[in-house]
Amino acid sequence: MFAFCIISFSVFGQEPDSVRVREITTGFYGQVESMSQKLLSSNKGYGLELGVYQERKILGQVGLSYGAGFGYRSYRDTSFIVDTSPDNDTTIIDYRFRTKHEDFKFSTAFSIKFEYISNPKIYLLVGFGPQITFRQTVAPNYLETRYLGIPDEETGNRDIIGSRTDDPPVYQNDDFKISAFNLRFDFGFGIELKKFNIEIVNRTNNVHGIGIRLKYKFDTLVY
């Protein structure tokens, strides 16, 4: 909501002549990020991405950026296999795993940039884009079996009525793989220093990634 208000303000707050400004920038980028299962929680891995981008100035202080690249992610998360066969309304069995993921992705992104300080140029960015995981491996490590009781009427949470660590279920590695197709959502800010842009970006898809993206522009066309 905050980002929507900022962008709306930027669009309607432009000077009339700024609409006539046309500028296309082309470059490449590299990004490194720290992975976590929840926003601002402890580090669970890392990610790397390299790609190319193009940016068009659509108003004096607003730009549209789009690009694509290939990335690698290595991280761990907590995974569960739930067995409701004892009784769907009362007890369920929850098998808990710590799973290591290694994903190779083709990633695209479309971002709106709003410049709110001109010297140096500092801007806000909001974006999204589809991702395709074309190769992934998982290594699940069984932790424990938990027996959960009747859900609480107000919260829906179930109490743990027992646990053990010697009762692993039958499973396949495919049970822990993520979908091959997902959407990414970006939110962050950046600063422009001549031919370089430095951006701090929070990226969300199946996990959270907070990282630094460095852009280098090698061509700018003004017309």
Side-chain angles (χ1 to χ4, degrees):
M1 185 63 182
F2 171 75
F4 175 78
C5 292
I6 291 292
I7 293 171
S8 298
F9 174 79
S10 69
V11 172
F12 293 107
Q14 303 299 310
E15 297 179 1
D17 288 343
S18 69
V19 180
R20 301 187 182 96
V21 177
R22 299 195 177 187
E23 185 176 297
I24 299 177
T25 298
T26 304
F28 60 87
Y29 69 88
Q31 179 166 332
V32 59
E33 56 189 350
S34 172
M35 314 300 301
S36 60
Q37 195 164 1
K38 295 181 180 180
L39 184 62
L40 300 180
S41 64
S42 59
N43 174 268
K44 301 298 182 183
Y46 67 94
L48 301 170
E49 184 173 311
L50 297 174
V52 295
Y53 77 95
Q54 192 171 78
E55 181 177 320
R56 292 174 179 266
K57 181 174 287 189
I58 56 178
L59 291 174
Q61 292 175 282
V62 181
L64 172 65
S65 178
Y66 43 88
F70 291 92
Y72 169 76
R73 282 182 160 190
S74 175
Y75 63 94
R76 298 179 183 272
D77 67 1
T78 302
S79 308
F80 299 91
I81 294 179
V82 178
D83 181 5
T84 60
S85 58
D87 191 324
N88 289 335
D89 296 326
T90 56
T91 304
I92 65 172
I93 302 175
D94 191 351
Y95 300 102
R96 187 166 173 259
F97 293 79
R98 178 72 69 187
T99 305
K100 181 178 180 180
H101 297 258
E102 289 190 340
D103 302 337
F104 292 86
K105 293 179 176 291
F106 174 73
S107 181
T108 64
F110 302 88
S111 301
I112 296 291
K113 293 175 54 178
F114 166 59
E115 178 188 323
Y116 59 94
I117 296 179
S118 297
N119 189 19
K121 289 185 178 180
I122 297 178
Y123 54 87
L124 175 78
L125 63 92
V126 180
F128 76 98
Q131 290 183 319
I132 297 175
T133 304
F134 57 88
R135 179 184 173 188
Q136 61 176 305
T137 60
V138 293
N141 179 35
Y142 168 74
L143 298 178
E144 66 173 341
T145 300
R146 300 189 298 185
Y147 301 90
L148 308 181
I150 300 173
D152 183 89
E153 293 182 358
E154 294 183 359
T155 65
N157 296 329
R158 295 176 181 262
D159 291 331
I160 300 175
I161 59 178
S163 65
R164 58 191 300 180
T165 59
D166 59 350
D167 185 28
V170 177
Y171 65 88
Q172 298 178 344
N173 283 359
D174 287 349
D175 296 333
F176 301 89
K177 290 185 177 181
I178 64 172
S179 172
F181 177 85
N182 63 274
L183 289 175
R184 56 178 275 191
F185 297 92
D186 296 351
F187 179 79
F189 62 92
I191 181 171
E192 182 176 327
L193 303 171
K194 295 184 178 180
K195 285 185 171 293
F196 289 93
N197 287 52
I198 302 173
E199 299 175 348
I200 306 296
V201 182
N202 175 65
R203 178 185 300 181
T204 303
N205 42 36
N206 60 304
V207 288
H208 289 274
I210 297 180
I212 297 177
R213 183 160 59 212
L214 179 64
K215 291 181 175 180
Y216 176 78
K217 54 183 178 182
F218 53 79
D219 183 53
T220 299
L221 173 65
V222 179
Y223 65 99

